[in-house]
Amino acid sequence: MAMTSKEGDDHELIEKIKLDKDRYNAVIECYESLKIILVCLLLDYNDKRIVDDIDKIVRNSMQNNTLLEDFKMAEIGKVSNTLVKLLQLLKSEPTDDTTERKIVNALQDFMEIATRDFMKDGHGILKDENERKQSFTNLNMDVIKDAFWREQFVRLHLLLTMKDSAMDVPTNLDARRRITFFANSLFMKMPRAPQVHDMISFSVLTPYYNEEVLYSSHELNRKNEDGISILFYLQKIYPDEWKNFLERIGVDPDNEEEVKGCMDDILIWASYRGQTLARTVRGMMYYRRALEVQCYEDMKSE
């Protein structure tokens, strides 16, 4: 978004970012987290001064709405990539001097790209080649080895590498419907449920007549007059669900013998899609799981 913005469109860019509250908060968190990490990581006073100088320039640009004028947004991808490489090294605990040297090199690369390529007037911050080589070499290794800080490295790395993509949206319409329904239910105003031991017991009765709950292997593979079996039919009308199912149970779809060896799981999968009674029974059994979870929560709160 920033890469395609033109000079003078600072206000428009910020408003676009603010349209998505989570995205706006993520941008703020990334910047503030990065500054805190750098300040705590660096031991040398001059190195910390450089970070403070950059921070002042960024904040002044934000205040004056000149961010797109003071920074080359076309280079923001390069800045992000070098920062990701640095965080990748930081979040894995260094084991030897070689790893520490790699961290120093990655940090120097990041600072050089940030000041020389990303900032339009940042050349004066790192004045010469000799100063660049001497800067950012004195690091607080206790911070790098500390579990708390590694969690911060992991979180910042996740924020920078997590991409929103239409490819992540389920292709299955029913899956979308269920996820949407669940997400919306999180914001429902519901009265607090009583504790399980205060609830009145209840039973669920489902009348049925001459109907199988689960398919048998014979029924599932028996072909009709057109040469089509129930399993083949279900595979064709639920192709994505069949593919996901085989992936969940770790079966190669091209290996027929391996697929046949998981017939018990396949019977359940097919029955949930072809037998109404099977789905009804599964729904009833969810009551038990829900009560078990609530009972566990009740015990935790006591």
Side-chain angles (χ1 to χ4, degrees):
M1 187 182 297
M3 293 176 67
T4 58
S5 298
K6 299 178 181 179
E7 290 187 13
D9 293 340
D10 294 69
H11 180 73
E12 182 181 349
L13 173 62
I14 294 173
E15 290 302 314
K16 285 182 179 179
I17 295 174
K18 285 184 176 180
L19 286 175
D20 188 330
K21 186 177 180 181
D22 291 334
R23 178 172 56 199
Y24 177 73
N25 290 335
V27 171
I28 299 297
E29 182 179 345
C30 283
Y31 180 78
E32 297 295 341
S33 297
L34 176 59
K35 182 190 173 185
I36 293 172
I37 288 172
L38 291 177
V39 170
C40 294
L41 189 61
L42 299 171
L43 292 175
D44 189 83
Y45 171 78
N46 289 327
D47 294 341
K48 291 186 177 184
R49 179 187 55 78
I50 292 173
V51 173
D52 287 336
D53 289 344
I54 296 174
D55 179 55
K56 290 177 182 177
I57 294 173
V58 172
R59 294 186 186 277
N60 286 336
S61 297
M62 290 292 296
Q63 187 175 1
N64 299 327
N65 288 327
T66 58
L67 190 67
L68 297 177
E69 297 177 18
D70 300 334
F71 293 86
K72 303 174 187 176
M73 288 301 165
E75 304 294 335
I76 196 171
K78 189 188 298 185
V79 175
S80 177
N81 291 337
T82 53
L83 178 56
V84 167
K85 291 179 181 178
L86 171 62
L87 292 169
Q88 188 70 43
L89 293 169
L90 288 174
K91 70 178 187 171
S92 55
E93 184 176 354
T95 55
D96 50 35
D97 294 339
T98 303
T99 307
E100 294 180 15
R101 187 62 219 172
K102 288 180 179 179
I103 293 174
V104 170
N105 291 338
L107 178 57
Q108 289 177 331
D109 290 342
F110 168 70
M111 296 303 297
E112 182 171 355
I113 289 174
T115 55
R116 290 183 167 267
D117 296 345
F118 187 47
M119 300 173 66
K120 289 186 178 179
D121 297 323
H123 293 76
I125 296 178
L126 295 177
K127 297 179 181 179
D128 53 40
E129 184 72 21
N130 187 49
E131 183 178 352
R132 290 201 303 275
K133 290 182 179 180
Q134 292 178 355
S135 299
F136 312 110
T137 57
N138 191 10
L139 305 182
N140 187 346
M141 299 309 298
D142 291 334
V143 168
I144 299 175
K145 297 176 182 178
D146 186 85
F148 169 80
W149 283 105
R150 282 210 304 279
E151 289 181 6
Q152 309 310 309
F153 303 150
V154 170
R155 177 166 177 79
L156 182 54
H157 182 272
L158 179 64
L159 288 172
L160 289 171
T161 55
M162 185 169 56
K163 308 292 183 183
D164 291 330
S165 172
M167 297 297 291
D168 298 329
V169 178
T171 56
N172 187 284
L173 295 179
D174 190 51
R176 292 190 203 177
R177 179 187 62 80
R178 293 190 182 196
I179 292 173
T180 302
F181 179 82
F182 171 72
N184 290 334
S185 70
L186 297 176
F187 301 95
M188 292 174 59
K189 293 183 179 180
M190 295 185 294
R192 185 174 181 82
Q195 292 191 336
V196 174
H197 63 71
D198 293 333
M199 293 182 183
I200 300 174
S201 61
F202 66 95
S203 301
V204 178
L205 299 177
T206 302
Y208 76 100
Y209 174 74
N210 197 25
E211 183 179 354
E212 296 294 334
V213 179
L214 296 176
Y215 287 120
S216 66
S217 178
H218 174 70
E219 289 176 317
L220 207 56
N221 292 286
R222 184 178 57 196
K223 296 181 180 180
N224 60 15
E225 60 273 12
D226 296 323
I228 297 175
S229 66
I230 294 176
L231 180 59
F232 179 82
Y233 174 74
L234 292 173
Q235 289 171 348
K236 294 305 177 183
I237 63 174
Y238 301 111
D240 54 333
E241 294 184 24
W242 173 251
K243 178 182 176 182
N244 294 339
F245 164 70
L246 293 180
E247 182 179 334
R248 282 198 304 273
I249 63 176
V251 172
D252 182 2
D254 297 326
N255 190 331
E256 293 185 6
E257 292 300 322
E258 195 174 357
V259 172
K260 290 180 181 178
C262 299
M263 188 53 65
D264 289 342
D265 293 323
I266 293 174
L267 293 178
I268 296 175
W269 178 87
S271 298
Y272 284 162
R273 285 152 183 81
Q275 289 282 45
T276 304
L277 186 57
R279 292 198 298 271
T280 303
V281 173
R282 179 178 62 172
M284 289 190 299
M285 296 308 297
Y286 281 157
Y287 284 127
R288 174 173 178 169
R289 292 177 60 183
L291 289 172
E292 287 176 347
V293 171
Q294 186 175 342
C295 186
Y296 174 74
E297 294 297 326
D298 291 344
M299 293 171 60
K300 283 174 57 179
S301 61
E302 289 179 352

